Amino acid sequence: MKALRRGEAWSGAAGGQAGHEEPTRREELLRTAVDLFARYGYTGTSIRDIANAAGMSVSNIYHYFGNKEGLWLAILEYSINGLPDRLNAVWQSDLDPVERFRLLVKTHLSASKSHQKETRMFFIDQGEVSHRGNSRNKAIQTQILDIYVQAMDELRAAGYVHTREVKILAFNVLGVISWYLRWYRADGRLPAEKVHEEIANFVLHGVLGPAE
Amino acid sequence: MKALRRGEAWSGAAGGQAGHEEPTRREELLRTAVDLFARYGYTGTSIRDIANAAGMSVSNIYHYFGNKEGLWLAILEYSINGLPDRLNAVWQSDLDPVERFRLLVKTHLSASKSHQKETRMFFIDQGEVSHRGNSRNKAIQTQILDIYVQAMDELRAAGYVHTREVKILAFNVLGVISWYLRWYRADGRLPAEKVHEEIANFVLHGVLGPAE
DNA sequence: CAGTTTATCGAACGATCGCTCTATAATCGT
DNA sequence: ACGATTATAGAGCGATCGTTCGATAAACTG
């Protein structure tokens, strides 16, 4: 039986918001890997880069994650794995259709921002990581797209959308959000809340089209 | 003096729309490299991958392009190097402000689509390619962003835009376009013209906000 | 405390990386 | 036709890649 050790335990995986304990070596590796993967991509980051930046031996990566792809998947696990469910929950709530869609976008924005590097890292990936990792990534992105397509369909059925090409609308929304993850810097002039507000407005007007 | 040989000559670089001559080996390399770079990224594609896929020796890459980065830069050269100027020219024309902005977006879309893989390849790049190549790429992206910021500013001065955060609007537009390059497939249901129309509508409504 | 499991390191392996070198065709200018 | 330049191939170099292995230290289990 695996006993709990040090700061690991039941708390998330790399978040470490339980108390102010020092991070596990495993968490330290995840943190470092996210940083490098998001900056240089999967193939652009070597196992040694990660280990050196984290100040330990490469063997630890194989001890904790099996191999490079396992490390990639572990990051996917704790960061965006649950995103589709969160978005679906928002869309199942019983609000006014338009305000519900606005909430959907804002939830997506703030959830992505809370794992900004991770989300960007998976959005940017193109198929550099080997088959299993890549297909899992693609599957999540497809799930998210489907949520938006469904949302657009319902909005259209309710008469809010004036185009038949709802899938293009869904793609556009994903494009705006994924790009936001690339340009947003936490030390910028505006607070994230305000930025999300602006982006949500843009998306809403783009989707709803000319008011009547 | 370097004389002209075979199919090369004054015709573009990799396009080869002059006659139906067989492509130069240099063009063949560019074509293959674009395909692989766009699929697997810069670090994810090796010199040997490219040479093998093109059916020739690695030496040719060094003969024609000096090194791997030179190949990357040669692609940038013929594909998106002139994009900022083209967009600027559109924006300097004397049309109705709103229709001029619509034309700007549609020009951007069709110009990017005519070099879809190349544009996607540069949009996706994060800094895997070494310093010179990356900074040139970043510079072009910044130029394009600035064009949109300027366009938004003028639209706002003319009373068409209802937010002060024009830079966020500009980012949103870039996000939509760069994402379009990732999802669009030429063999899809809709013709490109129709897709561009839809995207331009989305962007216009997003930028102009609620009609009054 | 003894024995097992976990954590960590450093060395090493074969494969592949970007790149250079040398040799040989092919094509050019004159 | 002939020397010079260009085009292409293939072998090979040092570096780095992902990964494995054996050793050792630390921690847990009974």
Side-chain angles (χ1 to χ4, degrees):
Chain A
M1 301 297 153
K2 178 150 84 172
L4 300 177
R5 243 167 240 101
R6 285 224 242 175
E8 192 156 4
W10 39 267
S11 75
Q17 66 271 56
H20 7 71
E21 315 178 27
E22 66 219 271
T24 318
R25 310 268 285 187
R26 185 177 186 276
E27 292 169 347
E28 198 69 42
L29 280 172
L30 286 170
R31 221 179 41 77
T32 311
V34 164
D35 201 59
L36 295 178
F37 281 151
R39 229 203 298 262
Y40 305 111
Y42 184 75
T43 47
T45 305
S46 80
I47 289 286
R48 282 173 184 79
D49 289 342
I50 299 168
N52 291 343
M56 56 186 106
S57 155
V58 294
S59 310
N60 292 303
I61 293 176
Y62 291 90
H63 177 62
Y64 287 116
F65 307 104
N67 56 28
K68 191 182 181 182
E69 188 190 346
L71 175 53
W72 172 272
L73 287 171
I75 296 169
L76 183 141
E77 183 86 17
Y78 80 78
S79 60
I80 65 166
N81 213 15
L83 186 54
D85 284 347
R86 272 187 74 175
L87 297 183
N88 250 323
V90 170
W91 189 247
Q92 301 309 325
S93 69
D94 53 352
L95 275 74
D96 165 77
V98 172
E99 284 313 308
R100 189 169 50 149
F101 181 70
R102 184 194 295 273
L103 185 62
L104 178 66
V105 172
K106 293 183 92 171
T107 303
H108 193 170
L109 285 167
S110 65
S112 297
K113 185 191 157 292
S114 73
H115 290 299
Q116 184 176 358
K117 287 178 190 165
E118 291 89 337
T119 315
R120 183 173 55 187
M121 162 182 142
F122 292 114
F123 260 96
I124 281 170
D125 173 56
Q126 288 266 94
E128 310 177 66
V129 56
S130 55
H131 186 66
R132 212 176 70 246
N134 187 249
S135 65
R136 182 80 193 98
N137 189 9
K138 283 264 171 65
I140 293 176
Q141 290 192 34
T142 301
Q143 278 185 63
I144 296 175
L145 178 68
D146 287 343
I147 292 171
Y148 278 105
V149 169
Q150 184 190 339
M152 303 293 183
D153 267 334
E154 294 184 24
L155 280 177
R156 180 167 179 274
Y160 289 102
V161 174
H162 298 292
T163 177
R164 248 173 298 181
E165 307 304 334
V166 293
K167 195 158 185 177
I168 295 183
L169 292 181
F171 276 130
N172 291 340
V173 176
L174 282 187
V176 169
I177 294 177
S178 83
W179 201 249
Y180 156 72
L181 296 169
R182 294 198 46 171
W183 61 262
Y184 180 75
R185 298 285 174 264
D187 54 9
R189 180 173 53 88
L190 297 171
E193 192 52 47
K194 169 73 172 163
V195 174
H196 296 181
E197 192 73 36
E198 291 285 332
I199 294 179
N201 275 337
F202 176 89
V203 168
L204 243 80
H205 294 137
V207 168
L208 303 184
E212 30 191 345
Chain B
M1 300 298 155
K2 177 150 84 175
L4 300 177
R5 244 168 239 102
R6 286 221 242 175
E8 192 156 7
W10 39 266
S11 75
Q17 66 269 54
H20 9 70
E21 315 178 26
E22 65 218 273
T24 319
R25 311 268 286 188
R26 184 178 187 277
E27 293 168 347
E28 199 68 44
L29 280 172
L30 286 171
R31 221 180 39 78
T32 310
V34 164
D35 200 59
L36 295 178
F37 281 152
R39 228 205 296 263
Y40 305 112
Y42 183 76
T43 47
T45 305
S46 81
I47 289 285
R48 281 173 184 82
D49 289 340
I50 299 168
N52 291 344
M56 54 186 106
S57 154
V58 295
S59 311
N60 292 305
I61 293 176
Y62 292 92
H63 177 63
Y64 287 115
F65 307 104
N67 54 28
K68 190 182 182 183
E69 187 189 345
L71 174 53
W72 173 271
L73 286 170
I75 297 168
L76 183 142
E77 184 86 17
Y78 80 78
S79 60
I80 66 166
N81 213 14
L83 186 53
D85 284 347
R86 273 187 74 175
L87 297 183
N88 249 324
V90 171
W91 188 246
Q92 301 309 324
S93 69
D94 52 353
L95 275 73
D96 165 76
V98 172
E99 285 313 308
R100 188 169 51 151
F101 181 70
R102 183 193 296 274
L103 185 63
L104 178 66
V105 172
K106 293 184 92 171
T107 303
H108 192 171
L109 284 167
S110 67
S112 297
K113 183 192 158 295
S114 73
H115 290 299
Q116 184 176 0
K117 286 178 191 167
E118 292 90 336
T119 316
R120 184 173 54 186
M121 164 182 141
F122 292 115
F123 259 97
I124 280 169
D125 172 57
Q126 288 266 92
E128 310 178 66
V129 56
S130 54
H131 185 66
R132 213 175 67 246
N134 186 249
S135 66
R136 181 82 192 97
N137 188 10
K138 283 264 171 66
I140 293 176
Q141 291 193 34
T142 301
Q143 276 184 65
I144 296 175
L145 178 68
D146 286 344
I147 292 170
Y148 278 105
V149 169
Q150 183 191 338
M152 303 294 183
D153 267 335
E154 294 184 23
L155 281 177
R156 180 166 180 273
Y160 289 102
V161 174
H162 298 293
T163 176
R164 250 173 295 180
E165 306 304 333
V166 292
K167 195 157 187 178
I168 295 183
L169 292 181
F171 277 129
N172 290 341
V173 176
L174 283 187
V176 169
I177 294 178
S178 83
W179 201 249
Y180 157 73
L181 296 168
R182 295 197 45 172
W183 61 261
Y184 181 75
R185 298 285 173 263
D187 55 9
R189 179 173 53 89
L190 297 170
E193 191 52 45
K194 170 71 173 164
V195 173
H196 295 180
E197 192 72 37
E198 291 285 332
I199 294 179
N201 275 338
F202 176 89
V203 167
L204 243 80
H205 294 137
V207 168
L208 302 184
E212 33 191 342

